Structure formats: C-alpha cells, structure tokens
C-alpha cells in the first residue's frame, strides 16, 4: 500500500483493528497514521469502541432482571 492515503487507510481500518491485514499493509497504515492526526483519531475511536463492546459482552444482567424479562416474554408469547 505504498503511498497510503486517508481513503485507503480508513477503508482498511476495520481489518487493521482486528489484526487481519498482511504485515506490509499494516505497516503502511501505521506509517500513514504517524503523520495523520485524522486517521489516528479514527483509529483511537475504533479501539475505544472495540474495548467498550468487549467489556459489555462480559457483563451479565442481575438474575432478578433476567427473570422479569423472561416472564414478560412468556406473557407476550402467550397472548400472540
């Protein structure tokens, strides 16, 4: 990805965040972000979003809330 520009970096940012790019492509994006505040900011937003989703997926609802929701679902299913 020689001469990586913002459009190319942003198009491949998702794969970069998930470590799905080849070494050369990832190195090109890192090199581009070293000089591009906009792409670095977008990368940071992606990292924060991934970390937030990862944490949210580990959390579980309190048992009482889970029971109440299941009871409401059963009532809805019974009336339809």
């Amino acid at each position: 990805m020689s001469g990586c520009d913002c459009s190319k970096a942003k198009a491949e940012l998702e794969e970069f965040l998930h470590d799905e790019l080849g070494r050369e492509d990832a190195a090109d994006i890192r090199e581009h972000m070293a000089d591009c505040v906009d792409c670095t900011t977008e990368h940071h937003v992606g990292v924060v979003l991934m970390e937030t989703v990862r944490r949210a997926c580990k959390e579980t609802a309190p048992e009482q809330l889970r029971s109440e929701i299941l009871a409401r679902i059963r009532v809805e299913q019974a009336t339809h």
Side-chain angles (χ1 to χ4, degrees), residues 8-74:
K8 182 75 171 169
K10 288 178 181 180
E12 295 187 354
L13 184 60
E14 190 72 25
E15 289 86 0
F16 180 79
L17 285 165
H18 294 283
D19 198 26
E20 296 173 347
L21 292 177
R23 265 189 294 205
E24 289 181 24
D25 289 336
D28 287 342
I29 290 178
R30 275 192 295 278
E31 183 180 324
H32 173 77
M33 286 193 301
D35 297 322
C36 181
V37 174
D38 188 43
C39 288
T40 300
T41 300
E42 197 154 327
H43 174 259
H44 178 70
V45 168
V47 168
V48 170
L49 180 60
M50 283 177 47
E51 290 172 356
T52 302
V53 169
R54 190 175 297 124
R55 275 194 316 271
C57 290
K58 290 179 181 178
E59 296 176 4
T60 57
E63 189 57 40
Q64 182 178 351
L65 176 61
R66 292 168 53 95
S67 296
E68 288 176 21
I69 291 171
L70 287 172
R72 289 181 187 179
I73 290 172
R74 288 185 188 109

